[in-house]
Amino acid sequence: MKKQLESKMGIFPMPVLMIATYNDDETVDVMNAAWGTMESRDKVLLKLGEGHKTTKNIKERKSFTVSIADAKHTVEADYFGVVSSNNTPDKFEKSGMTTTKSENVDAPIVNEFPICMECKLVDIISGDAGASVIGEVVNMSADEEVLTDGSVDISKLNAIAFDPFTLGYYTIGERVGNAYKDGLQLK
């Protein structure tokens, strides 16, 4: 028998995405955003609060980067989610992390996160629950140590996911099946 739950956040685990932008004074802003996904093969969709500094920066700069947080940087990733740049302008500096300016968009790449998508703003749709930010991925890069045969190896990436039920971060990495193949056994 199934039991009714209070939480309505039934799609989990959620990604731990690091959204990076430049502020007006060229300093770096990074936020932790769990509400995001791929809208299509080359577009990301993020749900961000209108009051976030990052949302304002994306509107002004028309670009941003999305990095996947890994277990090695869980503390920094969580810090980017619990501290607001609206209240702590030097938030990124306090993290001890570093950036490189993207050659493709007007946004920073956080060097310590192993994978990054560089995005140009396609659209922002404001709504009751915040802004839906759609970005076109114009470049994707990954550290060589997370690649196998030129492709991202999720077991090497050691990405983290957010569990809204326990408010915990969990690693992702063990392969349990083969997409587009295992189900053929039932055909």
Side-chain angles (χ1 to χ4, degrees):
M1 173 181 233
K2 294 192 188 241
K3 181 178 176 166
Q4 301 300 311
L5 302 176
E6 285 187 36
S7 177
K8 304 286 191 285
M9 295 184 281
I11 298 177
F12 72 96
M14 300 169 83
V16 181
L17 305 174
M18 300 291 103
I19 315 306
T21 61
Y22 284 120
N23 295 312
D24 290 339
D25 63 0
E26 303 300 317
T27 58
V28 174
D29 170 61
V30 180
M31 76 171 286
N32 179 326
W35 301 94
T37 189
M38 295 301 300
E39 181 189 58
S40 63
R41 290 192 179 272
D42 68 341
K43 292 191 178 55
V44 297
L45 172 63
L46 307 170
K47 193 68 168 183
L48 306 177
E50 293 280 358
H52 289 297
K53 180 78 168 158
T54 305
T55 306
K56 177 185 173 202
N57 291 345
I58 291 171
K59 287 178 179 179
E60 290 179 8
R61 298 284 185 143
K62 310 291 187 223
S63 57
F64 56 96
T65 61
V66 179
S67 295
I68 308 291
D70 61 342
K72 187 172 166 182
H73 299 98
T74 301
V75 170
E76 292 89 345
D78 191 56
Y79 173 74
F80 292 138
V82 296
V83 174
S84 170
S85 290
N86 287 323
N87 304 324
T88 309
D90 60 346
K91 170 173 110 169
F92 183 76
E93 288 176 18
K94 289 182 175 186
S95 76
M97 296 183 113
T98 62
T99 62
T100 300
K101 182 168 179 36
S102 166
E103 294 179 12
N104 302 291
V105 297
D106 185 19
I109 297 170
V110 181
N111 298 323
E112 290 78 8
F113 293 125
I115 190 167
C116 181
M117 294 176 280
E118 300 162 58
C119 303
K120 287 185 181 176
L121 179 64
V122 172
D123 199 4
I124 293 184
I125 303 161
S126 294
D128 293 341
S132 295
V133 177
I134 302 167
E136 176 187 5
V137 179
V138 297
N139 189 54
M140 186 169 176
S141 58
D143 293 343
E144 287 185 30
E145 58 262 14
V146 301
L147 302 177
T148 298
D149 299 326
S151 293
V152 174
D153 184 331
I154 197 165
S155 64
K156 291 180 180 178
L157 181 61
N158 209 16
I160 58 173
F162 172 65
D163 172 15
F165 291 102
T166 66
L167 303 181
Y169 294 111
Y170 294 85
T171 58
I172 300 173
E174 181 182 351
R175 185 180 184 118
V176 296
N178 299 295
Y180 306 104
K181 185 176 179 185
D182 289 353
L184 296 176
Q185 297 173 45
L186 300 177
K187 196 170 181 185

